[in-house]
Amino acid sequence: MNRVARRVDNRESGLMSQRDAPPGAGEIPSAGAASAANGTPEGTLVFIGASHKTTPLQILESVAFGPDRVLTLLPEIRVRLGLDEVAVLSTCNRTEVYGVSTDPTRSLRAVEQWLLGLSQGPSSIRPENLIRFSGSDVAEHAFRVASGIDSMIVGETQIAGQAEDAFRLAREADTAGPQLRELFAAAHRAQRRVRSETGIGEGSVSMASAAVHLARRVFGKLDKRRILIVGAGDTAALAARHFEKQNPAAMYISNRTFARAEDLARELSAAAIPLDACTSLLGSVDVVLFATRSPEPLATKETVTDAVAPRGSRMLLLIDVSLPRNVDPRVSDIENVFLHDMYDLRQIVEQNLARRAKEIPAAEKILRNELRGFLRHRTAAQAGPLIRDLRERYETVRRAEVERFLRQFREEDRPVVERLTRNLVNKLLHRPMVEIKGLSRDEQTQLERLSWARSLFGLDGIDRNGDPEE
Amino acid sequence: MGSVLSLLSHLLPVLYAAAWVNYGVYFFRDDPFARRTATPFLAATAAAHLLYVVLLTIEYEHHPMASAFEVFNVVALALVLVYLAVEVKQGNKSTGLFILPVVFLLQLASSVWISPTRTIHSILRDPLFGLHTGSVALGYAAFFLSAVYGVMYQMLYRALRTKRFGLIFERLPSLDIMARMTMGAALVGFSFLTLAITFGAAWAVEKIPGFWRDPKFIFTIVVWLIYGASLVSHYVLRLTGRRVVGLALVGFIVMLLSILSTHLFLPGFHQDLGG
């Protein structure tokens, strides 16, 4: 068992000082040590976090952590804030703390205080930015996040990998135990089902990917096509990177400032060409994307007509995302030349987003199904030891009483007595067993019920091996 | 065997209708069940159809193309087989919705009106005639596929031009693939039509003097020339795009007109033989 003491600069991390820490906090046991010992989930799942839905992005930035920082913070968060297990998911759209605690109310308050203390000033995070869950709601939220339903762009796939990274970091920091492992594994399963059984991740939802999609609708695979990107700014670079992933036969970057074209071309293994050479290339390339700030049109109908004449009936796709537009709209009259602008790309993106949104009810149905399975498994895991203890206690009492009175029965009647008492115990225990196994959506209530049942049946004094302590 | 033939004859139109609905559900809703089952279900239906044609041939002891409705039956099967091959090769099943209604109608007409007979004109038992009609069936099926792909090409071309990014834009194969499918199917059709003309002429040269004056033969040569021109434009002159696809469509329209007019208005030896 890992009992290595780890210390960090508390001023930097914003955590309680060593002096304020509860006794024994200097030593950090590995995550889920208590529960791992007996195979029983002891604590409740807790969650607190802020996302793009509750918090403006400039505020969210104040509580965003890189992987290295998360790795440093995790052990401290766990011990100082009273969590048995903890993982942190921090992306540009959310910072979320997933934990396991035997005292959820206290732990949630502690984590909230810690998050609020991380930033100061007008851009600091406020209590109303934070959302809090405990019990099964944590699992439901984790499933929604991993499957992309909760994302700014519904159905985006990156979040699934980021959730896996969050768990990986927690494991590396030794703050992930059996409960979080189970939670993240279930979230992973749920998101895989959602992505394979619904269309929530389908369709291009960014301008750059919509441009590639448009090109693929005309040419199919782009591996034998030649692409020209006119411009070297952020938009052009983003589009160029998307096109580059399609492995085109050739790619050219052109820009008024030639050095910038060269820089981008070098990054993408493309060829840089001067801006005034663009027109001559129109005869040989298949896709041209314009993304410049040129106030004058770079391609008029006349220049394009002349340039495409040698290409015969081969199709040419022009995508103009510049403002003001770089391509004369009359170019779309030329046969086999397709001209599309930013509004067309936006239309594609909006249609795809609407299509993804329509898939949410189907995805939620899958998540409900997965959540039921997850809760059933947890309930069984939580109730199992109690049921075992209860059976053993009743069996011990039964056996003792039978042995006490057995001599008063004839030899041939003894098996009947054995069977009768056994049946009696089973029948008396049937109803309590059903109640104990009963599924409760509220995990805290479930744990309280189990604790009450343990006390009601006088099992508090029994250790996990089923032996009375006295 | 008669009861099996009767059962298959009634069952096939129903199966093709079900396959069509399944492809429709896939196209419009992208339903996972339809996505998973469309191709296997159609393949199973095609297998049943093939069995039907084989049993028909064994039972009536002649190739099952002695009447127009028998031809419909074989053309429907040829269409499905060629379509399945193209679907598997292109990895795109969104065109099934447009092909299957015609397969269904051909098979329905064949099942309702077919009346196979053991007594056919003796010259129709000639193996060369069998090769001729078999090539015609495959050629027509390929031309039909080429026409469907050509129409879809025009639809997608128009969607891109008019910036309508709906189902046509999202579901159909790319414009470039549609052009290749159109011209590829036209090439297959042209090859079979060439064989059909060759076998037919070789068979008719002695048996039917002056066969070249038959209206169907003349129309077929016109169709052959139009498709030939469009194929030369595409494969030799390297022309692509709307006009070449359009020329292939013209070939198909002339072919349809030739079938209709020669059956309805222009008598010739093809009518006399039941073709």
Side-chain angles (χ1 to χ4, degrees):
Chain A
M1 194 177 291
N2 183 2
R3 286 183 176 271
V4 180
R6 298 176 193 193
R7 292 169 197 278
V8 295
D9 185 342
N10 290 329
R11 278 166 304 180
E12 190 202 334
S13 65
L15 296 165
M16 284 185 284
S17 69
Q18 192 72 23
R19 218 180 307 157
D20 301 328
E27 285 192 335
I28 301 176
S30 58
S35 52
N38 52 48
T40 314
E42 293 240 303
T44 302
L45 290 169
V46 291
F47 166 89
I48 188 163
S51 75
H52 63 97
K53 287 193 168 173
T54 59
T55 315
L57 288 181
Q58 67 271 23
I59 295 180
L60 212 47
E61 282 168 0
S62 66
V63 288
F65 313 113
D68 292 342
R69 184 90 197 281
V70 169
L71 208 52
T72 317
L73 286 175
L74 280 169
E76 290 298 311
I77 296 173
R78 179 159 68 83
V79 172
R80 311 283 175 221
L81 307 182
L83 295 166
D84 291 341
E85 300 176 35
V86 65
V88 171
L89 170 64
S90 188
T91 72
C92 46
N93 286 324
R94 64 183 68 244
T95 290
E96 298 182 332
V97 180
Y98 293 84
V100 174
S101 170
T102 45
D103 188 350
T105 313
R106 193 180 75 86
S107 295
L108 282 175
R109 203 180 304 124
V111 180
E112 180 178 329
Q113 289 306 315
W114 169 68
L115 278 169
L116 295 175
L118 283 176
S119 57
Q120 305 288 328
S123 291
S124 62
I125 199 154
R126 296 166 191 280
E128 58 267 28
N129 298 133
L130 297 169
I131 42 174
R132 308 151 191 83
F133 297 122
S134 65
S136 58
D137 291 341
V138 178
E140 187 178 351
H141 179 75
F143 289 10
R144 290 179 69 88
V145 168
S147 56
I149 293 181
D150 204 57
S151 294
M152 189 181 270
I153 293 170
V154 173
E156 56 113 351
T157 51
Q158 215 180 352
I159 188 68
Q162 288 166 331
E164 280 175 36
D165 287 345
F167 177 69
R168 185 180 47 79
L169 287 175
R171 217 175 42 192
E172 275 176 33
D174 205 15
T175 63
Q179 297 213 52
L180 284 188
R181 184 173 60 233
E182 204 178 302
L183 173 70
F184 279 86
H188 179 70
R189 273 196 307 274
Q191 68 88 11
R192 281 188 64 172
R193 263 195 75 192
V194 165
R195 288 182 201 285
S196 66
E197 293 175 29
T198 73
I200 203 154
E202 288 174 8
S204 316
V205 289
S206 71
M207 290 290 187
S209 61
V212 172
H213 182 57
L214 195 53
R216 290 190 57 122
R217 300 308 298 125
V218 176
F219 297 108
K221 284 183 184 172
L222 300 178
D223 55 347
K224 291 185 180 127
R225 304 291 167 183
R226 296 149 76 91
I227 318 280
L228 167 62
I229 306 288
V230 184
D234 291 344
T235 309
L238 192 62
R241 285 184 199 110
H242 270 77
F243 274 110
E244 199 258 341
K245 284 181 193 159
Q246 304 293 317
N247 295 318
M251 196 152 158
Y252 307 95
I253 310 288
S254 178
N255 193 51
R256 198 175 296 281
T257 310
F258 190 64
R260 292 190 67 187
E262 282 184 314
D263 288 345
L264 186 57
R266 203 172 302 120
E267 181 197 325
L268 300 170
S269 306
I273 58 160
L275 193 61
D276 48 17
C278 276
T279 316
S280 60
L281 263 184
L282 288 180
S284 59
V285 294
D286 301 290
V287 180
V288 187
L289 184 129
F290 292 87
T292 78
R293 289 187 186 153
S294 167
E296 300 295 324
L298 296 176
T300 63
K301 185 179 179 184
E302 291 70 29
T303 54
V304 176
T305 306
D306 292 345
V308 300
R311 52 187 303 136
S313 58
R314 272 176 53 215
M315 295 178 289
L316 173 65
L317 173 65
L318 304 175
I319 302 171
D320 185 3
V321 293
S322 316
L323 272 179
R325 285 182 288 180
N326 285 171
V327 184
D328 180 352
R330 293 178 303 138
V331 164
S332 62
D333 298 338
I334 305 170
E335 189 162 358
N336 293 320
V337 175
F338 299 92
L339 172 62
H340 291 280
D341 58 27
M342 197 159 61
Y343 297 100
D344 300 332
L345 298 186
R346 189 169 293 162
Q347 198 184 326
I348 293 170
V349 167
E350 282 170 4
Q351 280 181 3
N352 286 336
L353 284 173
R355 252 182 234 128
R356 286 186 176 196
K358 276 189 192 163
E359 295 291 316
I360 290 179
E364 284 176 332
K365 195 174 163 192
I366 293 169
L367 293 189
R368 275 196 297 276
N369 184 279
E370 287 291 319
L371 187 64
R372 265 198 300 277
F374 176 74
L375 291 179
R376 201 174 296 123
H377 183 73
R378 274 182 75 79
T379 306
Q382 285 165 343
L386 172 61
I387 289 170
R388 198 178 57 234
D389 292 352
L390 193 57
R391 280 197 179 283
E392 283 176 7
R393 160 58 61 93
Y394 271 62
E395 178 60 16
T396 307
V397 170
R398 186 192 70 80
R399 226 182 294 125
E401 291 304 304
V402 166
E403 275 171 20
R404 232 174 98 191
F405 293 102
L406 205 59
R407 287 185 185 167
Q408 296 177 23
F409 293 94
R410 287 178 300 172
E411 188 70 35
E412 61 266 34
D413 290 336
R414 285 176 189 174
V416 178
V417 171
E418 184 74 19
R419 203 162 63 238
L420 177 124
T421 53
R422 204 180 288 276
N423 285 349
L424 198 63
V425 165
N426 282 344
K427 291 203 167 164
L428 286 171
L429 279 178
H430 176 71
R431 186 67 202 169
M433 293 293 186
V434 170
E435 284 297 317
I436 288 166
K437 285 176 185 169
L439 188 68
S440 171
R441 201 180 140 75
D442 180 353
E443 195 171 58
Q444 189 59 31
T445 309
Q446 174 77 3
L447 286 174
E448 281 167 11
R449 236 168 67 173
L450 295 176
S451 167
W452 179 79
R454 193 169 274 282
S455 158
L456 181 73
F457 289 104
L459 302 171
D460 283 335
I462 293 182
D463 70 15
R464 288 288 177 271
N465 295 320
D467 302 324
E469 280 179 348
E470 64 270 5
Chain B
M1 192 184 283
S3 57
V4 176
L5 283 171
S6 171
L7 175 71
L8 284 171
S9 171
H10 286 89
L11 202 58
L12 282 173
V14 178
L15 291 175
Y16 279 125
W20 180 26
V21 170
N22 211 15
Y23 272 86
V25 172
Y26 165 72
F27 186 86
F28 289 108
R29 292 198 202 154
D30 195 15
D31 180 77
F33 177 78
R35 193 188 310 152
R36 211 168 45 247
T37 58
T39 311
F41 184 76
L42 182 62
T45 304
H49 196 161
L50 187 63
L51 176 71
Y52 176 62
V53 171
V54 170
L55 292 179
L56 213 55
T57 310
I58 295 168
E59 176 72 9
Y60 293 98
E61 295 171 343
H62 64 82
H63 55 80
M65 292 192 69
S67 71
F69 296 116
E70 288 186 12
V71 171
F72 282 4
N73 180 34
V74 176
V75 170
L77 177 62
L79 257 178
V80 172
L81 293 178
V82 176
Y83 166 73
L84 280 171
V86 173
E87 183 193 302
V88 171
K89 186 169 184 292
Q90 297 294 342
N92 187 308
K93 60 183 78 181
S94 52
T95 55
L97 174 71
F98 303 90
I99 308 286
L100 290 177
V102 175
V103 173
F104 163 69
L105 288 175
L106 283 171
Q107 192 53 42
L108 184 69
S110 173
S111 292
V112 171
W113 286 298
I114 200 165
S115 51
T117 172
R118 287 171 205 284
T119 51
I120 56 168
H121 200 297
S122 62
I123 60 171
L124 297 183
R125 292 192 187 278
D126 191 320
L128 215 49
F129 176 78
L131 288 171
H132 166 70
T133 49
S135 303
V136 168
L138 287 167
Y140 280 7
F143 283 144
F144 173 75
L145 276 182
S146 167
V148 172
Y149 295 140
V151 169
M152 287 192 286
Y153 175 95
Q154 303 288 351
M155 286 162 71
L156 183 57
Y157 185 92
R158 196 172 158 71
L160 281 161
R161 282 287 191 162
T162 53
K163 305 178 177 190
R164 285 188 193 144
F165 305 113
L167 273 175
I168 297 292
F169 172 79
E170 284 296 338
R171 289 273 196 275
L172 292 185
S174 74
L175 212 49
D176 187 60
I177 288 175
M178 301 285 275
R180 276 193 277 146
M181 284 161 87
T182 306
M183 299 318 293
L187 180 62
V188 173
F190 181 79
S191 308
F192 278 111
L193 191 63
T194 309
L195 287 176
I197 292 169
T198 311
F199 291 136
W203 171 78
V205 71
E206 284 183 3
K207 294 186 174 68
I208 303 170
F211 73 90
W212 55 85
R213 287 195 296 272
D214 180 70
K216 192 158 193 171
F217 179 78
I218 296 165
F219 262 118
T220 305
I221 295 296
V222 173
V223 170
W224 186 82
L225 287 173
I226 295 172
Y227 272 108
S230 104
L231 291 167
V232 167
S233 309
H234 182 68
Y235 289 108
V236 181
L237 304 176
R238 296 279 160 204
L239 295 179
T240 59
R242 212 179 172 196
R243 291 191 184 179
V244 178
V245 172
L247 194 56
L249 280 175
V250 169
F252 182 72
I253 291 165
V254 173
M255 187 188 91
L256 279 184
L257 287 175
S258 86
I259 294 170
L260 289 173
S261 58
T262 50
H263 275 87
L264 298 176
F265 312 115
L266 302 167
F269 75 85
H270 274 97
Q271 279 66 43
D272 301 336
L273 292 173

